[in-house]
Amino acid sequence: MCLNTLGGQTLAPGDVVDLPTRVLYIDSISPQLDVKLVESKGMKGKYCALSHCWGPEHKRSLCTTKGNLEEHHISVPSDKLPKTFKDALVITKGIGIDYLWIDYLCIVQDDHDEWERESANMGSLYEKATLMIAASAASDSSEGCCLSLMPLGEEDPGNSPLNKRAWAFQERHTSRRKVFFMPGGMIWACKTSMLNERCCDTPYKIHEHAGRSWSSLLEEYTTMNLARVSDRLPAIQGIATEMSTTRADLGRYRFGVWEQSMPKELIWVHNPQSRLCRKVPGTPSWSWAKIEGKKIWPLDTFYARCPVDETLTKFKRVGLGLMYQAAYDAMDKTMKEFEII
């Protein structure tokens, strides 16, 4: 299973892949870190990808902009790199891989059009990576990957700061192999197995996407944090893009909803206890992404295995049959919006 991507590819351990648009080339890590940003332009190779918390604005450091892009092509100043980035570069080179992808350095941060293009392909990018390096315990890039010779403390990445970040959700769900750095030690995980550095049982509360419905993924995803509410759909677009290449039965994808999964995906309930309820401009009211906060999908959660007619009967018993019927009635309007989007 670890050889198969959500997008339908089979990648053997030694296979090279198309590199992302830009990657960091690690020339050396000793006696000093020597790194530059390269435009792949069809290059193939193996690379790692970093998953990390950006942290608040005042904690963010060196990034790539239109103004320093050419400078980074020559050399990325190592003395300006935060500890998490340095750790990830050393780890990558240490396992014999020359390329590392870090969003903050490999995407031009003040180029909105590039951000839109790259975010749509984020799922493929993490899937094709030989390894995802997760700085799980670090709340910002200054804290490092929490390497320790004598691991102590929290060991479950499910309880980490990174696990609360919405962008990191699709990063770990699309990656085929990942290593989580926690105060309690390193945890290796893939689609079939897990290994704790201390060779003991680990709760590992992060669930993989395999076999889960889209609504089930969204119930977890909508609990995640975003600095910008407008990123609610872009931050999960990578998973949807990859699913669309192998799941023609799902139909078209619009505003977080699959055409052939209606009306079930139209029946979502917003948690009234959610602290923030910011709305996303330009998002239709039938989309779960219209309003911020945790959602549940009652028809999927409780009756996913029931035929439609049986589900409707069950819901009539508890007074929710009308909700299901209303969703069917709303489909005509929703489908018209699907056509014009």
Side-chain angles (χ1 to χ4, degrees):
M1 289 181 65
C2 300
L3 306 182
N4 300 325
T5 70
L6 190 60
Q9 289 182 288
T10 300
L11 301 174
D15 284 356
V16 295
V17 298
D18 292 328
L19 293 175
T21 304
R22 293 186 196 88
V23 284
L24 295 166
Y25 172 69
I26 312 164
D27 187 45
S28 67
I29 57 176
S30 180
Q32 63 181 14
L33 200 55
D34 188 359
V35 180
K36 65 180 178 180
L37 190 63
V38 298
E39 307 279 339
S40 63
K41 296 181 179 179
M43 291 169 52
K44 293 183 179 293
K46 293 191 287 186
Y47 66 95
C48 294
L50 176 66
S51 181
H52 67 106
C53 289
W54 284 29
E57 291 282 352
H58 70 278
K59 288 280 192 175
R60 299 177 190 176
S61 55
L62 182 67
C63 68
T64 297
T65 64
K66 294 176 182 177
N68 64 15
L69 178 59
E70 291 306 316
E71 176 188 340
H72 285 183
H73 284 157
I74 299 170
S75 178
V76 177
S78 60
D79 60 324
K80 294 183 180 179
L81 290 173
K83 190 174 188 309
T84 297
F85 294 2
K86 289 180 178 178
D87 285 351
L89 289 162
V90 171
I91 292 165
T92 299
K93 192 69 171 181
I95 61 174
I97 294 178
D98 293 332
Y99 299 104
L100 174 66
W101 189 87
I102 301 177
D103 51 6
Y104 215 44
L105 291 171
C106 296
I107 299 176
V108 177
Q109 297 299 306
D110 54 357
D111 188 332
H112 178 73
D113 291 340
E114 178 169 301
W115 247 113
E116 287 195 338
R117 290 194 304 271
E118 294 298 314
S119 63
N121 295 319
M122 208 74 80
S124 173
L125 190 153
Y126 276 88
E127 276 195 317
K128 291 179 180 178
T130 300
L131 179 69
M132 182 195 81
I133 300 168
S136 297
S139 57
D140 62 68
S141 58
S142 69
E143 297 179 7
C145 290
C146 300
L147 299 175
S148 174
L149 295 177
M150 298 183 65
L152 296 170
E154 177 64 57
E155 57 180 303
D156 183 5
N159 297 327
S160 69
L162 186 61
N163 191 48
K164 298 178 178 66
R165 181 173 176 256
W167 281 99
F169 178 85
Q170 76 172 357
E171 293 166 6
R172 68 173 178 271
H173 278 272
T174 52
S175 298
R176 296 172 297 127
R177 307 178 194 90
K178 43 225 163 193
V179 58
F180 301 96
F181 288 91
M182 294 290 292
M186 293 183 292
I187 296 174
W188 158 275
C190 63
K191 293 183 179 180
T192 59
S193 61
M194 181 194 70
L195 181 64
N196 187 306
E197 179 183 4
R198 295 187 291 185
C199 299
C200 59
D201 292 336
T202 300
Y204 191 51
K205 297 174 184 175
I206 294 176
H207 306 292
E208 301 295 341
H209 70 262
R212 298 175 64 187
S213 68
W214 180 247
S215 298
S216 174
L217 284 175
L218 292 180
E219 287 194 2
E220 182 181 355
Y221 174 72
T222 55
T223 66
M224 303 293 166
N225 299 327
L226 278 169
R228 295 191 296 260
V229 68
S230 58
D231 285 350
R232 182 64 59 190
L233 286 169
I236 202 171
Q237 179 64 48
I239 296 179
T241 299
E242 291 303 286
M243 288 178 63
S244 66
T245 63
T246 57
R247 293 290 307 276
D249 59 303
L250 293 174
R252 293 169 294 178
Y253 176 80
R254 297 289 188 274
F255 291 105
V257 176
W258 294 98
E259 178 183 13
Q260 296 303 320
S261 294
M262 293 190 289
K264 285 187 177 182
E265 286 186 13
L266 297 179
I267 304 177
W268 50 268
V269 179
H270 181 255
N271 183 349
Q273 296 181 346
S274 295
R275 289 190 305 110
L276 297 176
C277 296
R278 296 174 295 177
K279 294 185 178 181
V280 181
T283 305
S285 60
W286 47 261
S287 171
W288 57 269
K290 176 66 176 179
I291 187 169
E292 188 175 17
K294 178 177 173 56
K295 317 288 192 312
I296 61 170
W297 279 257
L299 292 177
D300 183 77
T301 304
F302 300 110
Y303 301 109
R305 297 182 180 179
C306 298
V308 170
D309 56 348
E310 184 180 346
T311 302
L312 185 56
T313 301
K314 287 178 181 289
F315 267 83
K316 279 182 177 177
R317 294 179 198 165
V318 292
L320 292 179
L322 291 176
M323 181 189 293
Y324 201 102
Q325 189 60 53
Y328 266 119
D329 294 341
M331 280 181 64
D332 287 341
K333 178 177 181 296
T334 305
M335 289 303 296
K336 288 177 182 177
E337 292 193 32
F338 260 61
E339 294 295 341
I340 63 176
I341 295 170

